[in-house]
Amino acid sequence: MAFLDIHQLQKSFGALRVVKDFTLGIDKGEFVSFLGPSGCGKTTVLRMVAGFETPTSGAIRIDGRDVTGLPANRRKIGMVFQAYALFPNLTVEENIGFGLKVAGEDKAAIRKRVGEMLELIGLSQLGGRYPFQLSGGQQQRVALARALAPRPQVLLLDEPLSALDAKIRVSLREEIRRIQRDLGITTIFVTHDQEEALSMSDRVVVMHQGVADQVGTPFEIYNRPATRFVAQFVGTLNLIDADLVDAAAGRIRLGGVPVALNRSLPGQTGKRISLALRPETVALGRKDEGNAVVLAGTITEVHFLGAVIRIRVAVEGGLVSLDTFNQPDRPPPSIGTPVEISVSHRDLLVLAA
């Protein structure tokens, strides 16, 4: 059995059902991100796990113990909020030790634990300061230490980096992951930022309209999206139309070129289907590979991005974006230039609706 077991969780607000039959098992020490747009239900699931929202139906178990009906303070859960929620009238040390004080631990034990947490987050010299005397990144570190001080079984993070600037976000997400690994604590991280989810997680849950569209490793989510929504939400995606010649045999016609994908495909023979491919899987020019699909097109856009040049090519069936590396001795092609592009059979994804 999973250490954190979420089973058929549902949540409705009046007639509006915001979470629908959400089921997920998370192993002890695993870092799982809930990724999705605003309103997809990811924070609602987090709040039900935390005990701040009551499920309409379903069950939540932590280490085999049913906590569905328990109040938040009896679930052994640490929570880090987007807005830090530090007490402005308490010092850093007092903020970190607040939960331990409420739990009735003696002063010596609190002092020892607070010292350990300050060392863990690298702020040992700032224990006597107040929150207003800290930077945003330092305040979020204190919020993390406060959540971890009572030794929770599960750590929940609700978009904790969204209020920080880009450089601090990168350094702090690395710090959070290091601390999580050091402690081996089971963690759920809620974010709408795909880079955060992909770079930090053992697994990613992509949520859409109250359901988990796909659960998998970052590699699986990015390279093998299960639905059109996942493919479009995670990373940059090309969508082009093709004719389905033989669904059972996996034969299509793409840009007038017959292609055998050698796998059965969804849809009806004779119908149009949509294919997805990532910009990095498309090459400018004709590949030498025997299984490459070569399409003729015309360059419609060229965007110089420094190390990378993004080129958009109009082909039969749609527009295809591709990335090439900048070469100082070779200027990028001009708009209106006729070109050929190549893509391998294995990189053409047929998406479910």
Side-chain angles (χ1 to χ4, degrees):
M1 181 182 290
F3 183 78
L4 173 57
D5 183 28
I6 305 170
H7 183 66
Q8 293 186 342
L9 214 58
Q10 297 196 47
K11 180 63 180 179
S12 298
F13 294 100
L16 179 64
R17 195 152 61 116
V18 296
V19 177
K20 309 164 188 174
D21 291 322
F22 185 91
T23 295
L24 180 68
I26 301 177
D27 293 334
K28 187 174 178 62
E30 192 176 14
F31 192 112
V32 174
S33 288
F34 290 175
L35 174 66
S38 297
C40 70
K42 58 188 186 296
T43 296
T44 303
V45 173
L46 192 80
R47 289 177 61 83
M48 286 190 282
V49 174
F52 301 142
E53 294 284 356
T54 302
T56 303
S57 63
I60 302 166
R61 296 181 180 85
I62 299 175
D63 198 15
R65 183 175 65 126
D66 192 334
V67 300
T68 313
L70 293 181
N73 62 350
R74 293 181 56 198
R75 295 193 181 200
K76 294 185 179 180
I77 283 176
M79 183 90 175
V80 179
F81 300 92
Q82 178 180 341
Y84 316 145
L86 297 177
F87 300 111
N89 59 322
L90 300 182
T91 65
V92 167
E93 291 176 337
E94 291 167 338
N95 265 284
I96 294 174
F98 181 80
L100 300 171
K101 184 178 179 181
V102 170
E105 293 203 22
D106 63 69
K107 291 182 179 180
I110 293 174
R111 188 163 53 251
K112 181 175 182 296
R113 183 61 174 168
V114 168
E116 292 171 353
M117 290 295 98
L118 284 171
E119 185 175 353
L120 185 68
I121 63 172
L123 297 179
S124 296
Q125 306 303 315
L126 304 182
R129 292 192 181 182
Y130 288 89
F132 74 89
Q133 297 173 307
L134 304 176
S135 68
Q138 289 171 334
Q139 289 183 48
Q140 195 57 290
R141 281 184 170 89
V142 173
L144 177 61
R146 183 179 62 182
L148 292 170
R151 298 177 179 86
Q153 292 182 300
V154 177
L155 176 64
L156 307 177
L157 303 114
D158 187 11
E159 304 209 38
L161 308 179
S162 59
L164 304 173
D165 65 53
K167 189 173 182 180
I168 294 175
R169 287 178 73 156
V170 172
S171 64
L172 194 51
R173 77 188 187 203
E174 292 172 354
E175 188 75 1
I176 289 172
R177 191 61 165 118
R178 177 191 66 79
I179 290 171
Q180 186 270 337
R181 282 195 178 112
D182 287 348
L183 298 178
I185 187 169
T186 306
T187 300
I188 297 177
F189 183 92
V190 164
T191 182
H192 63 271
D193 187 308
Q194 58 181 277
E195 185 176 309
E196 286 179 2
L198 295 176
S199 65
M200 297 177 71
S201 311
D202 296 313
R203 284 189 299 157
V204 178
V205 180
V206 183
M207 294 193 63
H208 178 50
Q209 296 181 347
V211 301
D213 254 30
Q214 187 173 356
V215 181
T217 66
F219 182 88
E220 292 166 344
I221 293 291
Y222 185 85
N223 290 302
R224 294 291 180 265
T227 68
R228 180 183 293 266
F229 173 79
V230 175
Q232 291 178 315
F233 187 77
V234 180
T236 302
L237 187 77
N238 293 302
L239 285 176
I240 55 176
D241 292 329
D243 294 309
L244 187 53
V245 177
D246 188 331
R251 291 193 292 115
I252 64 173
R253 183 171 294 277
L254 175 60
V257 178
V259 178
L261 297 181
N262 299 320
R263 58 184 187 270
S264 62
L265 303 175
Q268 294 180 342
T269 295
K271 299 292 187 180
R272 297 283 277 177
I273 59 171
S274 290
L275 299 173
L277 59 157
R278 300 290 187 189
E280 63 270 22
T281 66
V282 185
L284 190 62
R286 182 179 290 266
K287 281 185 178 180
D288 294 330
E289 297 178 15
N291 66 344
V293 181
V294 180
L295 302 175
T298 304
I299 293 178
T300 61
E301 296 178 39
V302 178
H303 299 285
F304 184 77
L305 305 176
V308 172
I309 299 173
R310 177 153 290 180
I311 299 170
R312 180 165 285 191
V313 179
V315 299
E316 185 180 335
L319 294 171
V320 176
S321 293
L322 61 97
D323 293 337
T324 63
F325 286 111
N326 173 40
Q327 301 180 53
D329 60 342
R330 185 182 301 175
S334 303
I335 293 174
T337 303
V339 294
E340 290 181 321
I341 62 172
S342 303
V343 60
S344 295
H345 288 197
R346 65 178 181 274
D347 293 321
L348 292 169
L349 303 176
V350 180
L351 302 177

